[in-house]
PDB file of all heavy atoms in Angstrom:
ATOM      1  N   ALA A   3     134.213 106.921  93.876  1.00  0.00           N
ATOM      2  CA  ALA A   3     132.772 107.082  94.114  1.00  0.00           C
ATOM      3  C   ALA A   3     132.535 107.926  95.357  1.00  0.00           C
ATOM      4  O   ALA A   3     131.648 108.787  95.386  1.00  0.00           O
ATOM      5  CB  ALA A   3     132.105 105.718  94.267  1.00  0.00           C
ATOM      6  N   ALA A   4     133.327 107.700  96.401  1.00  0.00           N
ATOM      7  CA  ALA A   4     133.185 108.485  97.626  1.00  0.00           C
ATOM      8  C   ALA A   4     133.529 109.949  97.387  1.00  0.00           C
ATOM      9  O   ALA A   4     132.832 110.856  97.861  1.00  0.00           O
ATOM     10  CB  ALA A   4     134.083 107.911  98.720  1.00  0.00           C
ATOM     11  N   LEU A   5     134.582 110.212  96.624  1.00  0.00           N
ATOM     12  CA  LEU A   5     134.966 111.594  96.344  1.00  0.00           C
ATOM     13  C   LEU A   5     133.896 112.310  95.526  1.00  0.00           C
ATOM     14  O   LEU A   5     133.553 113.471  95.787  1.00  0.00           O
ATOM     15  CB  LEU A   5     136.307 111.628  95.592  1.00  0.00           C
ATOM     16  CG  LEU A   5     137.544 111.238  96.397  1.00  0.00           C
ATOM     17  CD1 LEU A   5     138.775 111.191  95.506  1.00  0.00           C
ATOM     18  CD2 LEU A   5     137.762 112.211  97.549  1.00  0.00           C
ATOM     19  N   GLY A   6     133.342 111.638  94.538  1.00  0.00           N
ATOM     20  CA  GLY A   6     132.304 112.248  93.714  1.00  0.00           C
ATOM     21  C   GLY A   6     131.055 112.565  94.510  1.00  0.00           C
ATOM     22  O   GLY A   6     130.447 113.632  94.347  1.00  0.00           O
ATOM     23  N   THR A   7     130.653 111.657  95.385  1.00  0.00           N
ATOM     24  CA  THR A   7     129.457 111.873  96.199  1.00  0.00           C
ATOM     25  C   THR A   7     129.678 112.958  97.233  1.00  0.00           C
ATOM     26  O   THR A   7     128.759 113.723  97.557  1.00  0.00           O
ATOM     27  CB  THR A   7     129.058 110.560  96.905  1.00  0.00           C
ATOM     28  OG1 THR A   7     128.974 109.519  95.933  1.00  0.00           O
ATOM     29  CG2 THR A   7     127.714 110.701  97.587  1.00  0.00           C
ATOM     30  N   LEU A   8     130.901 113.061  97.747  1.00  0.00           N
ATOM     31  CA  LEU A   8     131.221 114.095  98.736  1.00  0.00           C
ATOM     32  C   LEU A   8     131.008 115.485  98.148  1.00  0.00           C
ATOM     33  O   LEU A   8     130.388 116.348  98.762  1.00  0.00           O
ATOM     34  CB  LEU A   8     132.672 113.927  99.191  1.00  0.00           C
ATOM     35  CG  LEU A   8     133.202 114.930 100.218  1.00  0.00           C
ATOM     36  CD1 LEU A   8     132.517 114.732 101.544  1.00  0.00           C
ATOM     37  CD2 LEU A   8     134.713 114.769 100.367  1.00  0.00           C
ATOM     38  N   ALA A   9     131.490 115.688  96.931  1.00  0.00           N
ATOM     39  CA  ALA A   9     131.332 116.990  96.288  1.00  0.00           C
ATOM     40  C   ALA A   9     129.879 117.245  95.908  1.00  0.00           C
ATOM     41  O   ALA A   9     129.384 118.375  95.993  1.00  0.00           O
ATOM     42  CB  ALA A   9     132.227 117.072  95.052  1.00  0.00           C
ATOM     43  N   ASP A  10     129.174 116.201  95.505  1.00  0.00           N
ATOM     44  CA  ASP A  10     127.801 116.368  95.041  1.00  0.00           C
ATOM     45  C   ASP A  10     126.876 116.883  96.143  1.00  0.00           C
ATOM     46  O   ASP A  10     125.948 117.652  95.869  1.00  0.00           O
ATOM     47  CB  ASP A  10     127.277 115.027  94.519  1.00  0.00           C
ATOM     48  CG  ASP A  10     125.832 115.108  94.078  1.00  0.00           C
ATOM     49  OD1 ASP A  10     125.554 115.818  93.103  1.00  0.00           O
ATOM     50  OD2 ASP A  10     124.977 114.474  94.722  1.00  0.00           O
ATOM     51  N   SER A  11     127.105 116.485  97.378  1.00  0.00           N
ATOM     52  CA  SER A  11     126.264 116.950  98.482  1.00  0.00           C
ATOM     53  C   SER A  11     126.319 118.464  98.616  1.00  0.00           C
ATOM     54  O   SER A  11     125.295 119.122  98.833  1.00  0.00           O
ATOM     55  CB  SER A  11     126.707 116.287  99.794  1.00  0.00           C
ATOM     56  OG  SER A  11     126.524 114.891  99.741  1.00  0.00           O
ATOM     57  N   ALA A  12     127.514 119.026  98.483  1.00  0.00           N
ATOM     58  CA  ALA A  12     127.655 120.482  98.570  1.00  0.00           C
ATOM     59  C   ALA A  12     126.939 121.161  97.412  1.00  0.00           C
ATOM     60  O   ALA A  12     126.284 122.203  97.581  1.00  0.00           O
ATOM     61  CB  ALA A  12     129.128 120.868  98.589  1.00  0.00           C
ATOM     62  N   GLY A  13     127.047 120.594  96.210  1.00  0.00           N
ATOM     63  CA  GLY A  13     126.385 121.177  95.053  1.00  0.00           C
ATOM     64  C   GLY A  13     124.878 121.168  95.184  1.00  0.00           C
ATOM     65  O   GLY A  13     124.195 122.148  94.849  1.00  0.00           O
ATOM     66  N   SER A  14     124.330 120.065  95.650  1.00  0.00           N
ATOM     67  CA  SER A  14     122.884 119.958  95.821  1.00  0.00           C
ATOM     68  C   SER A  14     122.378 120.975  96.848  1.00  0.00           C
ATOM     69  O   SER A  14     121.360 121.643  96.645  1.00  0.00           O
ATOM     70  CB  SER A  14     122.521 118.538  96.260  1.00  0.00           C
ATOM     71  OG  SER A  14     121.143 118.424  96.498  1.00  0.00           O
ATOM     72  N   THR A  15     123.099 121.093  97.968  1.00  0.00           N
ATOM     73  CA  THR A  15     122.716 122.063  98.991  1.00  0.00           C
ATOM     74  C   THR A  15     122.770 123.484  98.442  1.00  0.00           C
ATOM     75  O   THR A  15     121.883 124.304  98.703  1.00  0.00           O
ATOM     76  CB  THR A  15     123.646 121.934 100.205  1.00  0.00           C
ATOM     77  OG1 THR A  15     123.483 120.639 100.782  1.00  0.00           O
ATOM     78  CG2 THR A  15     123.339 122.991 101.254  1.00  0.00           C
ATOM     79  N   ALA A  16     123.797 123.789  97.678  1.00  0.00           N
ATOM     80  CA  ALA A  16     123.940 125.132  97.112  1.00  0.00           C
ATOM     81  C   ALA A  16     122.782 125.469  96.183  1.00  0.00           C
ATOM     82  O   ALA A  16     122.213 126.568  96.240  1.00  0.00           O
ATOM     83  CB  ALA A  16     125.269 125.240  96.368  1.00  0.00           C
ATOM     84  N   ARG A  17     122.415 124.540  95.305  1.00  0.00           N
ATOM     85  CA  ARG A  17     121.325 124.810  94.367  1.00  0.00           C
ATOM     86  C   ARG A  17     119.995 124.976  95.099  1.00  0.00           C
ATOM     87  O   ARG A  17     119.179 125.835  94.739  1.00  0.00           O
ATOM     88  CB  ARG A  17     121.245 123.703  93.319  1.00  0.00           C
ATOM     89  CG  ARG A  17     122.381 123.751  92.307  1.00  0.00           C
ATOM     90  CD  ARG A  17     122.179 122.771  91.167  1.00  0.00           C
ATOM     91  NE  ARG A  17     122.314 121.395  91.593  1.00  0.00           N
ATOM     92  CZ  ARG A  17     123.459 120.723  91.659  1.00  0.00           C
ATOM     93  NH1 ARG A  17     124.595 121.339  91.335  1.00  0.00           N
ATOM     94  NH2 ARG A  17     123.496 119.464  92.038  1.00  0.00           N
ATOM     95  N   GLN A  18     119.752 124.155  96.115  1.00  0.00           N
ATOM     96  CA  GLN A  18     118.515 124.314  96.886  1.00  0.00           C
ATOM     97  C   GLN A  18     118.460 125.665  97.588  1.00  0.00           C
ATOM     98  O   GLN A  18     117.395 126.288  97.677  1.00  0.00           O
ATOM     99  CB  GLN A  18     118.400 123.189  97.921  1.00  0.00           C
ATOM    100  CG  GLN A  18     118.097 121.827  97.325  1.00  0.00           C
ATOM    101  CD  GLN A  18     117.919 120.773  98.403  1.00  0.00           C
ATOM    102  OE1 GLN A  18     117.097 120.922  99.293  1.00  0.00           O
ATOM    103  NE2 GLN A  18     118.695 119.706  98.332  1.00  0.00           N
ATOM    104  N   SER A  19     119.592 126.138  98.079  1.00  0.00           N
ATOM    105  CA  SER A  19     119.610 127.420  98.796  1.00  0.00           C
ATOM    106  C   SER A  19     119.427 128.603  97.857  1.00  0.00           C
ATOM    107  O   SER A  19     119.099 129.712  98.304  1.00  0.00           O
ATOM    108  CB  SER A  19     120.916 127.569  99.577  1.00  0.00           C
ATOM    109  OG  SER A  19     122.015 127.727  98.704  1.00  0.00           O
ATOM    110  N   LEU A  20     119.626 128.408  96.548  1.00  0.00           N
ATOM    111  CA  LEU A  20     119.435 129.479  95.576  1.00  0.00           C
ATOM    112  C   LEU A  20     117.984 129.627  95.137  1.00  0.00           C
ATOM    113  O   LEU A  20     117.602 130.666  94.588  1.00  0.00           O
ATOM    114  CB  LEU A  20     120.305 129.216  94.338  1.00  0.00           C
ATOM    115  CG  LEU A  20     121.802 129.503  94.461  1.00  0.00           C
ATOM    116  CD1 LEU A  20     122.546 128.922  93.277  1.00  0.00           C
ATOM    117  CD2 LEU A  20     122.051 131.002  94.566  1.00  0.00           C
ATOM    118  N   VAL A  21     117.175 128.602  95.358  1.00  0.00           N
ATOM    119  CA  VAL A  21     115.803 128.617  94.850  1.00  0.00           C
ATOM    120  C   VAL A  21     114.982 129.789  95.382  1.00  0.00           C
ATOM    121  O   VAL A  21     114.334 130.494  94.596  1.00  0.00           O
ATOM    122  CB  VAL A  21     115.098 127.272  95.142  1.00  0.00           C
ATOM    123  CG1 VAL A  21     113.608 127.358  94.821  1.00  0.00           C
ATOM    124  CG2 VAL A  21     115.739 126.158  94.324  1.00  0.00           C
ATOM    125  N   PRO A  22     114.958 130.062  96.701  1.00  0.00           N
ATOM    126  CA  PRO A  22     114.107 131.164  97.165  1.00  0.00           C
ATOM    127  C   PRO A  22     114.502 132.515  96.593  1.00  0.00           C
ATOM    128  O   PRO A  22     113.639 133.316  96.232  1.00  0.00           O
ATOM    129  CB  PRO A  22     114.260 131.127  98.691  1.00  0.00           C
ATOM    130  CG  PRO A  22     115.497 130.336  98.943  1.00  0.00           C
ATOM    131  CD  PRO A  22     115.594 129.352  97.832  1.00  0.00           C
ATOM    132  N   ALA A  23     115.808 132.803  96.478  1.00  0.00           N
ATOM    133  CA  ALA A  23     116.239 134.081  95.912  1.00  0.00           C
ATOM    134  C   ALA A  23     115.887 134.168  94.432  1.00  0.00           C
ATOM    135  O   ALA A  23     115.487 135.229  93.938  1.00  0.00           O
ATOM    136  CB  ALA A  23     117.746 134.265  96.114  1.00  0.00           C
ATOM    137  N   ALA A  24     116.047 133.055  93.706  1.00  0.00           N
ATOM    138  CA  ALA A  24     115.690 133.054  92.290  1.00  0.00           C
ATOM    139  C   ALA A  24     114.199 133.276  92.094  1.00  0.00           C
ATOM    140  O   ALA A  24     113.776 133.966  91.160  1.00  0.00           O
ATOM    141  CB  ALA A  24     116.115 131.730  91.653  1.00  0.00           C
ATOM    142  N   ALA A  25     113.385 132.713  92.980  1.00  0.00           N
ATOM    143  CA  ALA A  25     111.937 132.898  92.880  1.00  0.00           C
ATOM    144  C   ALA A  25     111.544 134.319  93.270  1.00  0.00           C
ATOM    145  O   ALA A  25     110.749 134.972  92.584  1.00  0.00           O
ATOM    146  CB  ALA A  25     111.223 131.889  93.773  1.00  0.00           C
ATOM    147  N   ASP A  26     112.100 134.834  94.360  1.00  0.00           N
ATOM    148  CA  ASP A  26     111.749 136.169  94.820  1.00  0.00           C
ATOM    149  C   ASP A  26     112.163 137.248  93.819  1.00  0.00           C
ATOM    150  O   ASP A  26     111.522 138.302  93.728  1.00  0.00           O
ATOM    151  CB  ASP A  26     112.414 136.458  96.172  1.00  0.00           C
ATOM    152  CG  ASP A  26     111.842 135.599  97.302  1.00  0.00           C
ATOM    153  OD1 ASP A  26     110.816 134.939  97.077  1.00  0.00           O
ATOM    154  OD2 ASP A  26     112.435 135.595  98.393  1.00  0.00           O
ATOM    155  N   SER A  27     113.222 136.997  93.053  1.00  0.00           N
ATOM    156  CA  SER A  27     113.709 138.011  92.118  1.00  0.00           C
ATOM    157  C   SER A  27     112.711 138.300  91.010  1.00  0.00           C
ATOM    158  O   SER A  27     112.795 139.342  90.357  1.00  0.00           O
ATOM    159  CB  SER A  27     115.046 137.567  91.511  1.00  0.00           C
ATOM    160  OG  SER A  27     114.861 136.457  90.640  1.00  0.00           O
ATOM    161  N   VAL A  28     111.776 137.381  90.790  1.00  0.00           N
ATOM    162  CA  VAL A  28     110.758 137.584  89.753  1.00  0.00           C
ATOM    163  C   VAL A  28     109.354 137.494  90.345  1.00  0.00           C
ATOM    164  O   VAL A  28     108.384 137.289  89.633  1.00  0.00           O
ATOM    165  CB  VAL A  28     110.919 136.559  88.606  1.00  0.00           C
ATOM    166  CG1 VAL A  28     112.184 136.833  87.821  1.00  0.00           C
ATOM    167  CG2 VAL A  28     110.931 135.131  89.143  1.00  0.00           C
ATOM    168  N   ALA A  29     109.241 137.661  91.668  1.00  0.00           N
ATOM    169  CA  ALA A  29     107.940 137.594  92.355  1.00  0.00           C
ATOM    170  C   ALA A  29     107.206 136.302  92.022  1.00  0.00           C
ATOM    171  O   ALA A  29     105.998 136.294  91.782  1.00  0.00           O
ATOM    172  CB  ALA A  29     107.076 138.806  91.994  1.00  0.00           C
ATOM    173  N   PHE A  30     107.949 135.186  92.017  1.00  0.00           N
ATOM    174  CA  PHE A  30     107.405 133.865  91.716  1.00  0.00           C
ATOM    175  C   PHE A  30     107.161 133.142  93.029  1.00  0.00           C
ATOM    176  O   PHE A  30     108.030 133.125  93.904  1.00  0.00           O
ATOM    177  CB  PHE A  30     108.412 133.093  90.853  1.00  0.00           C
ATOM    178  CG  PHE A  30     107.836 131.939  90.085  1.00  0.00           C
ATOM    179  CD1 PHE A  30     107.000 132.148  89.001  1.00  0.00           C
ATOM    180  CD2 PHE A  30     108.142 130.631  90.450  1.00  0.00           C
ATOM    181  CE1 PHE A  30     106.488 131.088  88.276  1.00  0.00           C
ATOM    182  CE2 PHE A  30     107.633 129.567  89.732  1.00  0.00           C
ATOM    183  CZ  PHE A  30     106.799 129.794  88.643  1.00  0.00           C
ATOM    184  N   ALA A  31     105.985 132.567  93.212  1.00  0.00           N
ATOM    185  CA  ALA A  31     105.660 131.901  94.475  1.00  0.00           C
ATOM    186  C   ALA A  31     106.681 130.815  94.788  1.00  0.00           C
ATOM    187  O   ALA A  31     107.032 130.006  93.921  1.00  0.00           O
ATOM    188  CB  ALA A  31     104.259 131.298  94.406  1.00  0.00           C
ATOM    189  N   ARG A  32     107.137 130.780  96.031  1.00  0.00           N
ATOM    190  CA  ARG A  32     108.144 129.779  96.401  1.00  0.00           C
ATOM    191  C   ARG A  32     107.593 128.358  96.298  1.00  0.00           C
ATOM    192  O   ARG A  32     108.332 127.424  95.991  1.00  0.00           O
ATOM    193  CB  ARG A  32     108.654 130.050  97.822  1.00  0.00           C
ATOM    194  CG  ARG A  32     109.526 131.276  97.922  1.00  0.00           C
ATOM    195  CD  ARG A  32     110.141 131.398  99.301  1.00  0.00           C
ATOM    196  NE  ARG A  32     111.005 132.568  99.397  1.00  0.00           N
ATOM    197  CZ  ARG A  32     111.701 132.886 100.485  1.00  0.00           C
ATOM    198  NH1 ARG A  32     111.638 132.103 101.551  1.00  0.00           N
ATOM    199  NH2 ARG A  32     112.463 133.966 100.494  1.00  0.00           N
ATOM    200  N   GLU A  33     106.297 128.194  96.582  1.00  0.00           N
ATOM    201  CA  GLU A  33     105.709 126.857  96.440  1.00  0.00           C
ATOM    202  C   GLU A  33     105.874 126.353  95.008  1.00  0.00           C
ATOM    203  O   GLU A  33     106.240 125.198  94.769  1.00  0.00           O
ATOM    204  CB  GLU A  33     104.221 126.882  96.815  1.00  0.00           C
ATOM    205  CG  GLU A  33     103.954 127.057  98.311  1.00  0.00           C
ATOM    206  CD  GLU A  33     103.915 128.507  98.728  1.00  0.00           C
ATOM    207  OE1 GLU A  33     104.236 129.382  97.890  1.00  0.00           O
ATOM    208  OE2 GLU A  33     103.578 128.773  99.894  1.00  0.00           O
ATOM    209  N   ARG A  34     105.599 127.233  94.043  1.00  0.00           N
ATOM    210  CA  ARG A  34     105.722 126.827  92.641  1.00  0.00           C
ATOM    211  C   ARG A  34     107.176 126.645  92.232  1.00  0.00           C
ATOM    212  O   ARG A  34     107.503 125.756  91.440  1.00  0.00           O
ATOM    213  CB  ARG A  34     105.034 127.861  91.749  1.00  0.00           C
ATOM    214  CG  ARG A  34     103.527 127.923  91.964  1.00  0.00           C
ATOM    215  CD  ARG A  34     102.847 128.868  90.998  1.00  0.00           C
ATOM    216  NE  ARG A  34     101.405 128.873  91.199  1.00  0.00           N
ATOM    217  CZ  ARG A  34     100.547 129.576  90.486  1.00  0.00           C
ATOM    218  NH1 ARG A  34     100.989 130.362  89.512  1.00  0.00           N
ATOM    219  NH2 ARG A  34      99.244 129.518  90.739  1.00  0.00           N
ATOM    220  N   ALA A  35     108.048 127.492  92.763  1.00  0.00           N
ATOM    221  CA  ALA A  35     109.467 127.358  92.448  1.00  0.00           C
ATOM    222  C   ALA A  35     110.018 126.026  92.958  1.00  0.00           C
ATOM    223  O   ALA A  35     110.748 125.324  92.242  1.00  0.00           O
ATOM    224  CB  ALA A  35     110.250 128.516  93.059  1.00  0.00           C
ATOM    225  N   ASN A  36     109.674 125.665  94.183  1.00  0.00           N
ATOM    226  CA  ASN A  36     110.144 124.392  94.733  1.00  0.00           C
ATOM    227  C   ASN A  36     109.523 123.208  94.009  1.00  0.00           C
ATOM    228  O   ASN A  36     110.167 122.163  93.842  1.00  0.00           O
ATOM    229  CB  ASN A  36     109.833 124.328  96.230  1.00  0.00           C
ATOM    230  CG  ASN A  36     110.764 125.207  97.040  1.00  0.00           C
ATOM    231  OD1 ASN A  36     111.981 125.103  96.930  1.00  0.00           O
ATOM    232  ND2 ASN A  36     110.205 126.099  97.841  1.00  0.00           N
ATOM    233  N   ALA A  37     108.264 123.354  93.575  1.00  0.00           N
ATOM    234  CA  ALA A  37     107.633 122.284  92.807  1.00  0.00           C
ATOM    235  C   ALA A  37     108.346 122.100  91.473  1.00  0.00           C
ATOM    236  O   ALA A  37     108.581 120.968  91.033  1.00  0.00           O
ATOM    237  CB  ALA A  37     106.161 122.605  92.578  1.00  0.00           C
ATOM    238  N   LEU A  38     108.702 123.207  90.819  1.00  0.00           N
ATOM    239  CA  LEU A  38     109.426 123.124  89.552  1.00  0.00           C
ATOM    240  C   LEU A  38     110.792 122.496  89.754  1.00  0.00           C
ATOM    241  O   LEU A  38     111.230 121.633  88.972  1.00  0.00           O
ATOM    242  CB  LEU A  38     109.565 124.527  88.965  1.00  0.00           C
ATOM    243  CG  LEU A  38     110.253 124.658  87.605  1.00  0.00           C
ATOM    244  CD1 LEU A  38     109.453 123.921  86.543  1.00  0.00           C
ATOM    245  CD2 LEU A  38     110.413 126.124  87.227  1.00  0.00           C
ATOM    246  N   PHE A  39     111.480 122.893  90.818  1.00  0.00           N
ATOM    247  CA  PHE A  39     112.806 122.350  91.120  1.00  0.00           C
ATOM    248  C   PHE A  39     112.721 120.846  91.375  1.00  0.00           C
ATOM    249  O   PHE A  39     113.531 120.065  90.881  1.00  0.00           O
ATOM    250  CB  PHE A  39     113.358 123.071  92.348  1.00  0.00           C
ATOM    251  CG  PHE A  39     114.819 122.818  92.616  1.00  0.00           C
ATOM    252  CD1 PHE A  39     115.794 123.497  91.906  1.00  0.00           C
ATOM    253  CD2 PHE A  39     115.223 121.925  93.590  1.00  0.00           C
ATOM    254  CE1 PHE A  39     117.139 123.286  92.153  1.00  0.00           C
ATOM    255  CE2 PHE A  39     116.558 121.699  93.849  1.00  0.00           C
ATOM    256  CZ  PHE A  39     117.521 122.388  93.128  1.00  0.00           C
ATOM    257  N   THR A  40     111.712 120.424  92.145  1.00  0.00           N
ATOM    258  CA  THR A  40     111.532 119.008  92.446  1.00  0.00           C
ATOM    259  C   THR A  40     111.117 118.222  91.208  1.00  0.00           C
ATOM    260  O   THR A  40     111.559 117.081  91.004  1.00  0.00           O
ATOM    261  CB  THR A  40     110.477 118.835  93.545  1.00  0.00           C
ATOM    262  OG1 THR A  40     110.884 119.580  94.702  1.00  0.00           O
ATOM    263  CG2 THR A  40     110.321 117.368  93.931  1.00  0.00           C
ATOM    264  N   SER A  41     110.270 118.802  90.357  1.00  0.00           N
ATOM    265  CA  SER A  41     109.866 118.128  89.126  1.00  0.00           C
ATOM    266  C   SER A  41     111.077 117.833  88.251  1.00  0.00           C
ATOM    267  O   SER A  41     111.177 116.757  87.649  1.00  0.00           O
ATOM    268  CB  SER A  41     108.864 118.990  88.347  1.00  0.00           C
ATOM    269  OG  SER A  41     107.668 119.165  89.075  1.00  0.00           O
ATOM    270  N   ALA A  42     111.989 118.790  88.192  1.00  0.00           N
ATOM    271  CA  ALA A  42     113.204 118.580  87.408  1.00  0.00           C
ATOM    272  C   ALA A  42     114.029 117.430  87.969  1.00  0.00           C
ATOM    273  O   ALA A  42     114.661 116.674  87.221  1.00  0.00           O
ATOM    274  CB  ALA A  42     114.038 119.862  87.378  1.00  0.00           C
ATOM    275  N   GLU A  43     114.037 117.284  89.309  1.00  0.00           N
ATOM    276  CA  GLU A  43     114.752 116.159  89.912  1.00  0.00           C
ATOM    277  C   GLU A  43     114.135 114.827  89.485  1.00  0.00           C
ATOM    278  O   GLU A  43     114.844 113.871  89.159  1.00  0.00           O
ATOM    279  CB  GLU A  43     114.741 116.295  91.433  1.00  0.00           C
ATOM    280  CG  GLU A  43     115.567 117.459  91.951  1.00  0.00           C
ATOM    281  CD  GLU A  43     115.641 117.490  93.469  1.00  0.00           C
ATOM    282  OE1 GLU A  43     114.845 116.782  94.111  1.00  0.00           O
ATOM    283  OE2 GLU A  43     116.497 118.212  93.997  1.00  0.00           O
ATOM    284  N   HIS A  44     112.802 114.767  89.481  1.00  0.00           N
ATOM    285  CA  HIS A  44     112.148 113.531  89.046  1.00  0.00           C
ATOM    286  C   HIS A  44     112.440 113.239  87.579  1.00  0.00           C
ATOM    287  O   HIS A  44     112.619 112.084  87.193  1.00  0.00           O
ATOM    288  CB  HIS A  44     110.642 113.631  89.284  1.00  0.00           C
ATOM    289  CG  HIS A  44     110.248 113.511  90.725  1.00  0.00           C
ATOM    290  ND1 HIS A  44     110.326 112.328  91.429  1.00  0.00           N
ATOM    291  CD2 HIS A  44     109.782 114.428  91.607  1.00  0.00           C
ATOM    292  CE1 HIS A  44     109.933 112.512  92.672  1.00  0.00           C
ATOM    293  NE2 HIS A  44     109.598 113.781  92.809  1.00  0.00           N
ATOM    294  N   VAL A  45     112.478 114.287  86.752  1.00  0.00           N
ATOM    295  CA  VAL A  45     112.848 114.095  85.354  1.00  0.00           C
ATOM    296  C   VAL A  45     114.260 113.531  85.261  1.00  0.00           C
ATOM    297  O   VAL A  45     114.551 112.636  84.459  1.00  0.00           O
ATOM    298  CB  VAL A  45     112.737 115.417  84.574  1.00  0.00           C
ATOM    299  CG1 VAL A  45     113.359 115.283  83.183  1.00  0.00           C
ATOM    300  CG2 VAL A  45     111.278 115.835  84.447  1.00  0.00           C
ATOM    301  N   GLY A  46     115.152 114.049  86.107  1.00  0.00           N
ATOM    302  CA  GLY A  46     116.520 113.536  86.116  1.00  0.00           C
ATOM    303  C   GLY A  46     116.577 112.057  86.429  1.00  0.00           C
ATOM    304  O   GLY A  46     117.308 111.295  85.778  1.00  0.00           O
ATOM    305  N   TYR A  47     115.782 111.617  87.408  1.00  0.00           N
ATOM    306  CA  TYR A  47     115.763 110.196  87.756  1.00  0.00           C
ATOM    307  C   TYR A  47     115.130 109.357  86.640  1.00  0.00           C
ATOM    308  O   TYR A  47     115.625 108.286  86.286  1.00  0.00           O
ATOM    309  CB  TYR A  47     114.986 109.991  89.056  1.00  0.00           C
ATOM    310  CG  TYR A  47     115.698 110.532  90.269  1.00  0.00           C
ATOM    311  CD1 TYR A  47     115.093 111.461  91.104  1.00  0.00           C
ATOM    312  CD2 TYR A  47     116.987 110.118  90.583  1.00  0.00           C
ATOM    313  CE1 TYR A  47     115.740 111.978  92.215  1.00  0.00           C
ATOM    314  CE2 TYR A  47     117.649 110.629  91.688  1.00  0.00           C
ATOM    315  CZ  TYR A  47     117.026 111.542  92.504  1.00  0.00           C
ATOM    316  OH  TYR A  47     117.685 112.049  93.597  1.00  0.00           O
ATOM    317  N   LEU A  48     114.019 109.851  86.081  1.00  0.00           N
ATOM    318  CA  LEU A  48     113.325 109.087  85.048  1.00  0.00           C
ATOM    319  C   LEU A  48     114.160 108.966  83.786  1.00  0.00           C
ATOM    320  O   LEU A  48     114.153 107.924  83.122  1.00  0.00           O
ATOM    321  CB  LEU A  48     111.980 109.750  84.729  1.00  0.00           C
ATOM    322  CG  LEU A  48     110.882 109.610  85.785  1.00  0.00           C
ATOM    323  CD1 LEU A  48     109.662 110.444  85.401  1.00  0.00           C
ATOM    324  CD2 LEU A  48     110.469 108.143  85.930  1.00  0.00           C
TER     325      LEU A  48
END
């Protein structure tokens, strides 16, 4: 469990750091991009 969580932290940070570049590449507002990213997280939990 510790090993799995250790790797997951790096993955989560990496995906969050990709959001602004992914949004800017299509002139998509960062506020909306982060809202979409966060909505997907809530879907994952639900």
Side-chain angles (χ1 to χ4, degrees):
L5 290 175
T7 308
L8 179 68
D10 177 66
S11 297
S14 177
T15 297
R17 288 188 291 273
Q18 289 183 56
S19 69
L20 284 168
V21 171
D26 292 350
S27 69
V28 291
F30 200 71
R32 289 187 179 182
E33 289 87 352
R34 294 185 178 182
N36 286 307
L38 182 63
F39 192 80
T40 303
S41 296
E43 292 185 346
H44 286 289
V45 170
Y47 290 124
L48 287 174

